[in-house]
Amino acid sequence: MLEKQLTGHRVDRSICDWFWDHVISQGDSFKSQPVIASPTHYLFQVVREGITFLACTQVEMPPLMGIEFLCRVSDVLSDYLGGLNEDVIKDNFVIVYELLDEMIDNGFPLTTEANILREMIAPPNIVSKVLSVVTGNSSNVSDTLPGATGSCIPWRAAEPKYANNEVYVDLVEEMDAVINRDGALVKCEVYGEVRVNSHLSGLPDLTLSFANPSILDDVRFHPCVRFRPWESHQVLSFVPPDGEFKLMSYRIKKLKSTPLYVKPQLTSDAGKCRVNVLVGIRNDPGKTIDSITLEFQLPPCILSADLNSNHGTVNILGNKICSWTIGRIPKDKTPSLSGTLLLETELERLHVFPTFRVGFRIMGLALSGLQIDKLDLKTAPSRLYKGFRALTRAGEFEVRS
Amino acid sequence: MLLNDRSPAVVGAAAAAFASVCPYNLSLVGRNYRKLCEILPDVEEWGQIVLIGILLRYVIARHGLVKESIMYSLQCTESSHSAKDGSDVDSGLVKESTDLSGTCDSEFVNTVSRCYMEGPDEYLSRSSYANRESFELNGAQFTSGKSNDDVKILLYSTSPLLWSNNSAVVLAAAGVHWVMAPKEDVKRIIKPILYLLRSSNASKYVVLRNIQVFAKAMPSLFAPYFEDFFIFSSESYQIKALKLEILSYIATDSSISSIFKEFQDYIRDPDRRFAADTVAAIGLCVQRLPKMAHICVDGLLALTRQEFVTEDFGFEDQEAGILTQVIMSIKSIIKQDPPSHEKVIIQLVRRLDSVKVPAARAMIIWMVGEYSSLGEIIPRMLTTVLKYLAWGFPSEAPETKLQILNTVCKVLEGATGDDLWTFKKIFSYLIELAECDLNYDLRDRARLLKKLPSCNLVSLGLEEETNDLPENDLLHIVAECILGRQTRKVKPESFSYRYYLPGSLSQIVLHAAPGYEPLPKPCSLLLDDLNVAEGTSEMKRAADYSGTDDYGSSSDPSDEESASDYGSQRSVTESSGSDRGDDSEFTSEGNYNADPLIQISDIGNASENQNGVSQSSPANLGELMSNKALESWLDEQPGSSNPGLPKQSQVRISSARISVGDVGKRVKQKSYSLLDPASGNGLKVDYSFSSEISSISRLLVCIEVFFKNCSSEIISEITLVDEESNRAFDSADKTAVVNESSLTSSDDVPTLVPMESIVSLEPGQTTRRILQVRFHHHLLPLKLALYCDGKKLPIKLRPDIGYFVKPLPMDVEVFIDKESRLPGMFEYARSCTFTDHIVELNKENGDSLLVKDKFLAICESLALKMLSNANLCLVSVDMPIATNLDDASGLRLRFSSEILSSWIPCLITIGVEGKCTDPLNLSIKVNCEETVFGLNLLNRIANFLVEPALS
């Protein structure tokens, strides 16, 4: 347990005990409650990869502010520590505290921009670890304030210098889809992010435009993006932070098709249930679809399951989750999963049906069809390397049976 | 404040500080409002959240609600919502204003109240028209456009924030639009809010909770986006339940079919609790859209068919829940239009055999009873059904048994002809069975029901023989009441939800979290409004007094008498005994007055009793009356003769009475010499600061100037003008030019509002003029030029910081609350000695007849001194408990005021130390945000307190 007292008013640690008591007594439903009113405090809760982040307040404040901040903390931590789990946090106690110190001050969020934090607190790496062991000097907080705090562009460090100027733009898309029991596509939308990794010297002013901005349904921007050019011409004009950051996120709704089809068939009779699932490519996107997985939760009334596949591996995990790892779809056959589920003795027929969650990845393609038109730099340095990449993976891709 | 800094980074931090230090001091925002709005998109995101909240509050306080906004239209439709949108506040305001206009007949109040009635927007334009009257801007249109500008600019600057990466910012901005934006523009917040649903699970929940409220208020907004509320299996139960609820709000005829398809899928979800909720949601949907009733009912019936297959085997609780929910939904659907669903009832009754869940069974049986006379087929079925029920009665669950009894009763009620006999038999059989049941409730019910229909039966069966006895009739009515449409009263959806501002914590936990503040009262922060309020409260007070005059004068003689009695007899017991009577009267009067100045603290009372000083007050009063303006006290005598609270009441009077006339009589207004006769050719000019507040501008201070002709000749053409502006226009027609120049000067407030010139002053004659002066600095004197007989005399007007404030009435709680918000660098203290009271006390000592309450004298002299030297409002006087008679330590006087120019409150506390008869040590404390002003005021107070009394 990690604790950071933020205001002069001390919060008693017993609130955590209270919280854990309730988690134990009420189970998962309590854990999924983001705002909890305890007898003494209001708690905000964010659970990320098994780690619970709690913030508490006694007075009125926007709850989203608390939650959003906790999310940022967890993002920054996982960014710094290269992952988020108990061991990593234990190993880097000092850094976590230092980060929290910088991120929040007297109960108000301060610096949450990862790039700036990086300047103040060096991320852990082997060199610094060795150094600290050797020299005994464990602090890795830089003595100087980052230059950005003084500049008018708070997200950018003063004047970075790079030998080669590079900008990489990644489109990372996630496809959310729901296919109902009749096999009809109920909802299909793409949630995408434009990630930029910029290593530019000076104060670059970039302009990014899309070939087809009209397909964007919703957008959200990094603070560096100027709103007015977007309003008028749908052009992203921004002074990028140094390093990697999420420039914008977008959503494109009402797509017509999914790259994969999943056809589950469940027939239940006489205390048994026959399962047959087919997976195949519906619309060939032109690039290979890999890392295909299929996961579903077996209904609670099932005693045992006997499932086999003609391609990939099938595992049934402890909590009755069945996962089928397919990988790539072979050319010669259609992968299928089949087998029988044995129901509880009293049941004759299955009346609840599992939902299949599909995972996949397509490299080098943005499924939404969004295309970056051009990226311009206003004050072009001598050499500028621009790189574009795209990636699509499955978000909430669900097939009901 | 740093709020007006140019750098966005500073503003963000300043906003956070503002919110935590002085969230109520919205007037501070006013000056920088526009700039804040412009800078808003550049402020760092966490600051944005806070700043948006502040700006919204400011706009509401300044301009009120926007007429075209949803909030306004909601006022008409959803008056039951209390805290959410200030609609009640608004109606409250209207009421208040009518009250005001009822009590005092002033033009001002009338216009204001009329403005209130016309709705916030007109009010807004009109009052700001009045506001700008002094600047001679004409036409309400212009000002309405202008004042709407503030709203517009806020909406304009917050709309890009809807694209922010930070979900909290988006929701905050959406909240502003929700409250302020015209109805047709609210649409734009919908998509961003829905997009928030794609962020983390935790924030998804919070956003959904807010959408829940929005959707309830305006389903049409969300109706096209119903697909966004379709449910993923990976979501938590709370989110699923919320989405279902929202879906059932926003379903429309066009979307219902796809929503219904989704619902069908959900019912098969492994989470059975969720499935049960889905069924309930179907019921809700159909209630909103009756067109779908048949399809839905068919679906639900199919569901019952499916469910009992499992029912026979796995008897799980959750399945039972679903089935009950299904029947409940069907029931609610049928209720809307019973005749068209006759067949459904029949089908359900047929199913009775297979439905095993008691609650569901009970409900079906209830339906049988309720609709027993419906249509053609059901009445014919009744006998069979009832026989079947009676046959199975012993094996039913109590819940079902109760319902069977009820049903049979109901059937009996409506039965006629042949069936009656059968029913009666069944009924008596059932009653017999029920009376021997193990369950108490059941036996009770049986006994009750046994009586009811029996009478009915008697009257029916034996026809004319028992010519309806009155009890029979009565019983019949009772039966009707008990068995009748009892469930009709149950509302389908409880409206007990509490609403809080969108995006607030309170909205999520559904109770007001500590520190939660609803929106400020609309238009509570209007320049003009403030002045008017001041005026009205004064007027109201005056009216109150005139109202109480009768009472005062009628009881005066007796009081006078009693006063002299006490004076001679000095009988403590008697005085307290007889004064008891006055006590209650006074309190009632006090309540009537509802004067914020009255603060009867327990401490004061307690000390009163202990010290036993109560006897002297009437006599003391008499003396006071002789010394000072008699008639002004007379009115108030009943109050001040009350032994329970002599101090408070008396002091209250002195403060309540502090208007120019009274001060002139009671309080020695300090008069300064502006021009002595020697240098002024026989003209003597004195001035004193008046407690009046300038009606033209808040920057002006009112000064009373007395012109006296000490010479033997007539002095003519006396005017006072501002020297500096005069210098520029050194022409013949000075006054006229000055008039113009002061009005056209770049600063919109003139240094000196031109005084009407005195045409001529006879020898020995004195004339009074009120000057309104704007001091550029509260310490530096102002150079003026006095013209008389065509000659120019330079004079200097010295400011008195004590009159740069105006009284700010408040009660002690508010005072202490405000004081606690102004700690540290906003608090300045000084101590000094005070001797005034010694004179007073000595005077009394000479008066051997009575021992004047020393405490009273001290308080009074202190208060008088304060009030006659500064324009303050006395808040409270605290007395220490259990002190000896001579020790005045612990006395505490509180004064409140606000700075004229900026409305920043300025709180003054005076603590007393030392013995009554000796010079007292005073500790003066000033709490004020304006550091320099506060310090200067403190020095000034300390100075005049040290000065010996003029008399």
Side-chain angles (χ1 to χ4, degrees):
Chain A
M1 182 169 63
L2 234 114
E3 175 186 278
K4 170 103 177 77
Q5 297 285 343
L6 296 165
T7 51
H9 178 75
R10 231 188 102 82
V11 178
D12 197 61
R13 197 172 257 230
S14 62
I15 190 69
C16 292
D17 299 338
W18 182 90
F19 174 74
W20 287 116
D21 284 350
H22 278 251
V23 168
I24 289 161
S25 64
Q26 295 185 18
D28 281 348
S29 69
F30 194 75
K31 274 208 154 183
S32 57
Q33 232 173 303
V35 181
I36 305 160
S38 85
T40 51
H41 294 80
Y42 299 101
L43 295 176
F44 302 119
Q45 179 185 218
V46 169
V47 183
R48 284 281 174 91
E49 292 167 46
I51 297 196
T52 307
F53 294 85
L54 274 185
C56 56
T57 176
Q58 276 186 309
V59 295
E60 167 72 39
M61 64 173 281
L64 269 188
M65 190 162 150
I67 289 166
E68 182 80 24
F69 176 73
L70 291 179
C71 292
R72 295 282 172 93
V73 170
S74 75
D75 286 348
V76 167
L77 285 185
S78 65
D79 186 32
Y80 257 76
L81 310 176
L84 208 56
N85 59 52
E86 217 179 320
D87 295 331
V88 172
I89 289 188
K90 272 184 190 159
D91 288 347
N92 298 288
F93 240 49
V94 178
I95 291 208
V96 172
Y97 263 106
E98 284 166 356
L99 281 174
L100 283 179
D101 249 340
E102 290 301 334
M103 290 181 77
I104 193 160
D105 178 39
N106 195 29
F108 198 76
L110 196 63
T111 316
T112 46
E113 202 61 52
N115 299 316
I116 304 293
L117 284 171
R118 254 171 214 291
E119 256 182 84
M120 289 194 268
I121 303 160
N125 52 39
I126 292 170
V127 182
S128 70
K129 261 186 196 160
V130 171
L131 257 179
S132 70
V133 169
V134 174
T135 59
N137 176 13
S138 61
S139 169
N140 48 356
V141 181
S142 73
D143 293 333
T144 53
L145 263 181
T149 47
S151 78
C152 56
I153 305 158
W155 54 83
R156 192 168 172 85
E159 289 281 309
K161 289 267 185 285
Y162 290 102
N164 3 323
N165 289 300
E166 305 168 315
V167 190
Y168 297 99
V169 182
D170 292 356
L171 287 180
V172 181
E173 297 196 335
E174 285 183 9
M175 175 171 260
D176 295 354
V178 175
I179 296 167
N180 71 4
R181 282 195 295 141
D182 311 333
L185 194 61
V186 173
K187 172 164 135 177
C188 181
E189 55 191 41
V190 158
Y191 168 83
E193 287 177 2
V194 180
R195 297 187 162 275
V196 177
N197 194 353
S198 95
H199 297 284
L200 298 170
S201 27
L203 212 68
D205 198 334
L206 292 171
T207 316
L208 179 73
S209 57
F210 296 109
N212 45 356
S214 56
I215 63 168
L216 298 174
D217 270 305
D218 301 292
V219 283
R220 284 167 75 178
F221 300 119
H222 187 272
C224 71
V225 176
R226 300 185 187 101
F227 293 124
R228 303 298 169 209
W230 175 261
E231 260 177 316
S232 49
H233 313 103
Q234 312 241 296
V235 165
L236 291 169
S237 159
F238 58 100
V239 177
D242 210 29
E244 199 180 336
F245 68 101
K246 192 172 93 182
L247 179 68
M248 72 178 279
S249 65
Y250 57 88
R251 181 161 71 164
I252 297 168
K253 291 207 254 187
K254 301 214 164 110
L255 291 176
K256 290 286 177 291
S257 68
T258 55
L260 288 176
Y261 68 83
V262 176
K263 284 184 180 159
Q265 272 188 318
L266 280 88
T267 48
S268 77
D269 203 4
K272 276 183 194 166
C273 177
R274 283 206 53 78
V275 181
N276 187 27
V277 188
L278 289 176
V279 178
I281 295 174
R282 187 195 304 269
N283 300 308
D284 198 345
K287 307 261 179 176
T288 49
I289 307 175
D290 58 5
S291 317
I292 301 175
T293 56
L294 197 76
E295 232 184 38
F296 64 99
Q297 169 94 49
L298 294 172
C301 54
I302 280 171
L303 281 182
S304 66
D306 173 28
L307 298 165
N308 290 302
S309 68
N310 62 356
H311 187 86
T313 53
V314 182
N315 282 315
I316 297 178
L317 307 174
N319 45 0
K320 281 195 172 176
I321 289 178
C322 174
S323 89
W324 177 26
T325 317
I326 302 169
R328 287 185 192 185
I329 295 199
K331 289 207 170 66
D332 49 341
K333 57 182 175 183
T334 315
S336 75
L337 175 81
S338 58
T340 50
L341 306 174
L342 197 65
L343 307 184
E344 272 174 18
T345 46
E346 287 164 340
L347 279 172
E348 190 172 317
R349 211 180 278 174
L350 193 67
H351 61 280
V352 292
F353 296 96
T355 303
F356 296 86
R357 286 187 296 279
V358 183
F360 62 84
R361 198 175 65 167
I362 308 171
M363 297 292 285
L365 177 82
L367 261 185
S368 63
L370 185 73
Q371 281 169 349
I372 292 173
D373 187 27
K374 57 181 175 182
L375 178 70
D376 289 330
L377 189 61
K378 250 183 202 159
T379 51
S382 49
R383 289 164 292 136
L384 172 67
Y385 179 74
K386 295 185 258 190
F388 300 96
R389 270 191 307 186
L391 168 72
T392 303
R393 51 176 183 238
E396 304 268 353
F397 196 119
E398 291 192 346
V399 181
R400 298 185 187 133
S401 58
Chain B
M1 284 292 283
L2 290 167
L3 274 178
N4 54 8
D5 196 282
R6 230 177 303 126
S7 157
V10 177
V11 172
F18 179 89
S20 64
V21 174
C22 50
Y24 308 104
N25 206 337
L26 290 170
S27 53
L28 280 180
V29 180
R31 277 171 288 168
N32 306 312
Y33 174 74
R34 262 144 206 284
K35 213 170 65 211
L36 286 177
C37 280
E38 279 156 22
I39 218 168
L40 184 62
D42 299 326
V43 174
E44 52 96 29
E45 45 194 349
W46 305 108
Q48 278 172 352
I49 304 167
V50 181
L51 195 55
I52 290 173
I54 295 172
L55 292 177
L56 173 64
R57 275 161 202 280
Y58 168 76
V59 170
I60 297 267
R62 181 83 174 76
H63 298 297
L65 298 169
V66 178
K67 205 185 170 194
E68 305 86 37
S69 74
I70 294 180
M71 289 307 107
Y72 190 77
S73 57
L74 282 184
Q75 281 175 34
C76 318
T77 54
E78 295 180 45
S79 54
S80 60
H81 296 181
S82 55
K84 183 183 170 192
D85 46 26
S87 61
D88 286 4
V89 174
D90 207 47
S91 59
L93 275 180
V94 173
K95 236 178 265 163
E96 203 177 87
S97 56
T98 47
D99 285 354
L100 280 179
S101 60
T103 46
C104 42
D105 249 345
S106 142
E107 253 189 281
F108 245 126
V109 180
N110 267 338
T111 43
V112 171
S113 63
R114 237 186 300 132
C115 292
Y116 274 136
M117 311 271 209
E118 280 168 13
D121 214 21
E122 270 96 333
Y123 168 57
L124 183 162
S125 59
R126 301 213 18 187
S127 50
S128 50
Y129 164 65
N131 179 4
R132 273 150 234 265
E133 227 168 21
S134 53
F135 308 134
E136 290 171 17
L137 296 176
N138 52 346
Q141 286 171 336
F142 171 71
T143 40
S144 95
K146 177 160 169 50
S147 46
N148 268 335
D149 262 1
D150 274 357
V151 179
K152 255 191 236 156
I153 196 171
L154 178 64
L155 293 178
Y156 180 71
S157 59
T158 48
S159 52
L161 297 184
L162 293 173
W163 293 331
S164 168
N165 215 357
N166 189 322
S167 52
V169 176
V170 178
L171 192 60
V176 170
H177 282 252
W178 177 248
V179 177
M180 300 300 294
K183 224 183 202 162
E184 54 276 13
D185 288 351
V186 176
K187 282 200 291 295
R188 68 160 65 157
I189 71 170
I190 303 303
K191 283 179 88 178
I193 294 183
L194 291 176
Y195 190 34
L196 286 184
L197 293 179
R198 191 57 177 74
S199 46
S200 73
N201 251 330
S203 45
K204 195 190 263 185
Y205 173 75
V206 176
V207 174
L208 277 172
R209 282 297 287 272
N210 285 292
I211 293 180
Q212 183 190 14
V213 177
F214 294 163
K216 215 170 177 177
M218 283 200 83
S220 58
L221 283 177
F222 292 91
Y225 304 104
F226 63 92
E227 283 185 349
D228 281 327
F229 300 104
F230 285 175
I231 289 155
F232 291 112
S233 62
S234 52
E235 287 162 337
S236 71
Y237 171 69
Q238 285 107 328
I239 293 181
K240 286 177 180 170
L242 273 173
K243 280 190 168 179
L244 270 183
E245 197 185 335
I246 294 167
L247 273 179
S248 62
Y249 289 143
I250 63 171
T252 57
D253 283 333
S254 54
S255 62
I256 187 74
S257 55
S258 43
I259 291 177
F260 193 55
K261 250 185 203 155
E262 278 287 303
F263 281 170
Q264 280 176 326
D265 279 1
Y266 300 158
I267 290 169
R268 289 155 158 264
D269 194 277
D271 184 353
R272 300 320 280 162
R273 199 157 46 129
F274 167 56
D277 284 357
T278 309
V279 176
I282 295 175
L284 280 178
C285 278
V286 176
Q287 279 173 34
R288 286 194 57 243
L289 307 159
K291 275 186 199 167
M292 294 300 291
H294 284 284
I295 304 167
C296 289
V297 168
D298 286 350
L300 290 171
L301 277 178
L303 210 58
T304 56
R305 235 170 283 141
Q306 283 172 11
E307 294 297 339
F308 13 92
V309 179
T310 61
E311 224 55 60
D312 288 339
F313 302 96
F315 210 91
E316 290 172 59
D317 279 355
Q318 289 172 331
E319 301 301 331
I322 294 177
L323 189 64
T324 318
Q325 200 57 256
V326 168
I327 306 283
M328 223 142 90
S329 292
I330 295 179
K331 189 181 91 178
S332 64
I333 295 169
I334 291 177
K335 213 153 75 181
Q336 286 187 316
D337 184 18
S340 63
H341 294 293
E342 192 191 344
K343 285 208 174 113
V344 178
I345 301 171
I346 295 163
Q347 280 191 33
L348 279 179
V349 172
R350 289 228 176 99
R351 292 274 155 67
L352 260 181
D353 217 9
S354 49
V355 175
K356 292 282 189 288
V357 185
R361 269 182 90 83
M363 244 174 309
I364 298 178
I365 295 166
W366 175 87
M367 275 190 261
V368 172
E370 187 70 22
Y371 305 112
S372 58
S373 53
L374 190 83
E376 309 248 301
I377 311 159
I378 296 178
R380 269 185 274 152
M381 283 172 61
L382 275 174
T383 6
T384 338
V385 174
L386 290 184
K387 270 181 190 164
Y388 161 76
L389 288 176
W391 175 73
F393 188 79
S395 56
E396 299 281 1
E399 197 181 351
T400 325
K401 284 180 180 171
L402 283 174
Q403 212 45 255
I404 293 175
L405 283 180
N406 279 359
T407 301
V408 175
C409 240
K410 280 186 216 168
V411 171
L412 211 52
E413 198 68 0
T416 47
D418 305 338
D419 297 335
L420 194 66
W421 185 242
T422 339
F423 291 152
K424 210 175 159 188
K425 253 174 107 179
I426 293 170
F427 179 67
S428 49
Y429 170 67
L430 284 176
I431 292 287
E432 265 175 48
L433 274 181
E435 273 179 329
C436 312
D437 202 273
L438 285 173
N439 191 304
Y440 288 107
D441 284 342
L442 208 56
R443 295 204 294 266
D444 281 354
R445 181 75 63 92
R447 279 186 209 110
L448 172 74
L449 293 180
K450 196 174 156 186
K451 284 282 175 308
L452 284 178
S454 61
C455 309
N456 193 13
L457 283 182
V458 167
S459 68
L460 276 170
L462 305 180
E463 305 265 328
E464 262 87 289
E465 287 174 39
T466 54
N467 284 339
D468 48 320
L469 297 162
E471 309 111 71
N472 262 357
D473 244 5
L474 202 70
L475 275 169
H476 199 84
I477 293 162
V478 171
E480 282 274 291
C481 289
I482 296 175
L483 300 174
R485 324 267 143 167
Q486 42 196 189
T487 44
R488 281 292 147 89
K489 288 162 209 153
V490 182
K491 292 215 165 119
E493 181 73 9
S494 68
F495 288 101
S496 60
Y497 276 124
R498 298 154 67 153
Y499 296 102
Y500 297 94
L501 285 178
S504 66
L505 175 59
S506 307
Q507 175 60 42
I508 306 301
V509 295
L510 284 182
H511 61 255
Y516 174 79
E517 279 291 317
L519 287 177
K521 278 191 181 184
C523 308
S524 57
L525 195 82
L526 260 165
L527 182 86
D528 229 55
D529 195 26
L530 279 180
N531 289 343
V532 169
E534 193 73 24
T536 53
S537 68
E538 262 175 28
M539 276 175 246
K540 198 178 173 189
R541 219 177 286 154
D544 282 348
Y545 288 145
S546 64
T548 53
D549 253 4
D550 296 337
Y551 165 65
S553 54
S554 67
S555 64
D556 261 350
S558 65
D559 257 347
E560 208 75 80
E561 253 177 26
S562 63
S564 57
D565 274 0
Y566 302 147
S568 55
Q569 295 178 357
R570 293 182 59 202
S571 152
V572 179
T573 48
E574 239 185 68
S575 73
S576 59
S578 66
D579 276 339
R580 272 298 102 85
D582 280 351
D583 201 314
S584 60
E585 280 172 318
F586 172 70
T587 45
S588 68
E589 189 215 21
N591 287 340
Y592 171 56
N593 270 346
D595 197 312
L597 296 165
I598 306 176
Q599 181 58 48
I600 306 162
S601 69
D602 290 340
I603 304 168
N605 276 336
S607 67
E608 224 40 78
N609 296 335
Q610 277 175 7
N611 291 345
V613 287
S614 55
Q615 78 277 28
S616 60
S617 47
N620 155 23
L621 251 182
E623 192 197 42
L624 270 173
M625 277 182 277
S626 59
N627 280 353
K628 291 162 184 172
L630 192 73
E631 71 277 20
S632 76
W633 289 98
L634 274 176
D635 294 351
E636 303 300 329
Q637 221 187 345
S640 44
S641 65
N642 168 25
L645 16 94
K647 236 144 254 132
Q648 281 80 4
S649 54
Q650 196 152 48
V651 168
R652 179 182 74 84
I653 290 151
S654 62
S655 62
R657 278 269 152 181
I658 188 129
S659 61
V660 193
D662 277 349
V663 172
K665 284 176 199 153
R666 285 198 303 106
V667 173
K668 274 271 179 187
Q669 197 74 48
K670 229 179 234 169
S671 166
Y672 309 89
S673 159
L674 200 58
L675 189 70
D676 61 310
S679 57
N681 294 345
L683 180 70
K684 184 178 172 213
V685 184
D686 288 339
Y687 71 98
S688 65
F689 287 90
S690 111
S691 54
E692 272 176 39
I693 290 144
S694 164
S695 56
I696 298 172
S697 162
R698 56 199 175 119
L699 295 172
L700 296 176
V701 179
C702 290
I703 298 171
E704 257 183 303
V705 188
F706 298 92
F707 299 88
K708 190 178 181 192
N709 190 349
C710 299
S711 67
S712 52
E713 288 158 36
I714 294 171
I715 302 172
S716 57
E717 291 292 329
I718 308 170
T719 44
L720 261 176
V721 293
D722 181 10
E723 197 182 42
E724 278 151 49
S725 56
N726 186 39
R727 209 170 282 151
F729 301 88
D730 205 8
S731 66
D733 196 0
K734 274 153 197 154
T735 49
V737 173
V738 171
N739 249 336
E740 273 174 34
S741 74
S742 51
L743 276 181
T744 51
S745 63
S746 58
D747 231 336
D748 30 12
V749 181
T751 310
L752 176 68
V753 173
M755 181 193 80
E756 44 174 309
S757 61
I758 301 163
V759 179
S760 68
L761 205 60
E762 301 280 333
Q765 191 190 358
T766 309
T767 310
R768 193 179 73 107
R769 284 284 183 275
I770 301 278
L771 270 189
Q772 300 197 3
V773 183
R774 177 174 168 224
F775 289 101
H776 295 288
H777 190 270
H778 43 251
L779 292 181
L780 301 178
L782 190 70
K783 281 180 191 162
L784 297 176
L786 179 80
Y787 288 91
C788 68
D789 290 336
K791 272 176 282 184
K792 178 183 157 189
L793 300 162
I795 48 169
K796 276 185 183 174
L797 197 60
R798 292 184 191 283
D800 185 345
I801 195 169
Y803 289 89
F804 282 67
V805 292
K806 66 175 179 197
L808 177 69
M810 59 171 80
D811 55 49
V812 185
E813 282 87 24
V814 179
F815 185 93
I816 290 168
D817 180 49
K818 285 206 177 181
E819 192 181 20
S820 64
R821 282 171 204 281
L822 294 168
M825 57 185 263
F826 296 131
E827 185 173 294
Y828 337 98
R830 230 184 112 168
S831 57
C832 66
T833 53
F834 183 66
T835 52
D836 272 20
H837 64 287
I838 297 176
V839 186
E840 197 101 350
L841 286 177
N842 286 340
K843 219 188 306 174
E844 265 117 48
N845 284 349
D847 212 350
S848 61
L849 274 178
L850 53 118
V851 179
K852 183 173 173 170
D853 179 15
K854 291 167 187 162
F855 283 78
L856 193 63
I858 292 168
C859 292
E860 200 185 275
S861 49
L862 246 177
L864 270 181
K865 184 97 179 187
M866 288 292 287
L867 295 174
S868 54
N869 279 289
N871 205 359
L872 304 173
C873 165
L874 183 66
V875 176
S876 77
V877 182
D878 283 358
M879 291 249 312
I881 315 173
T883 48
N884 56 16
L885 280 171
D886 260 358
D887 194 1
S889 303
L891 261 183
R892 188 176 293 272
L893 286 91
R894 296 196 174 91
F895 299 89
S896 66
S897 62
E898 60 185 347
I899 301 174
L900 273 179
S901 54
S902 55
W903 293 324
I904 293 171
C906 198
L907 311 174
I908 299 152
T909 314
I910 296 181
V912 181
E913 291 273 328
K915 287 205 165 178
C916 292
T917 45
D918 299 335
L920 295 171
N921 282 321
L922 301 184
S923 59
I924 310 155
K925 197 178 73 170
V926 175
N927 293 66
C928 180
E929 267 169 46
E930 194 110 352
T931 325
V932 183
F933 187 90
L935 272 174
N936 285 327
L937 183 63
L938 176 69
N939 289 338
R940 172 77 191 128
I941 292 170
N943 285 342
F944 70 63
L945 282 177
V946 171
E947 281 172 28
L950 285 172
S951 63

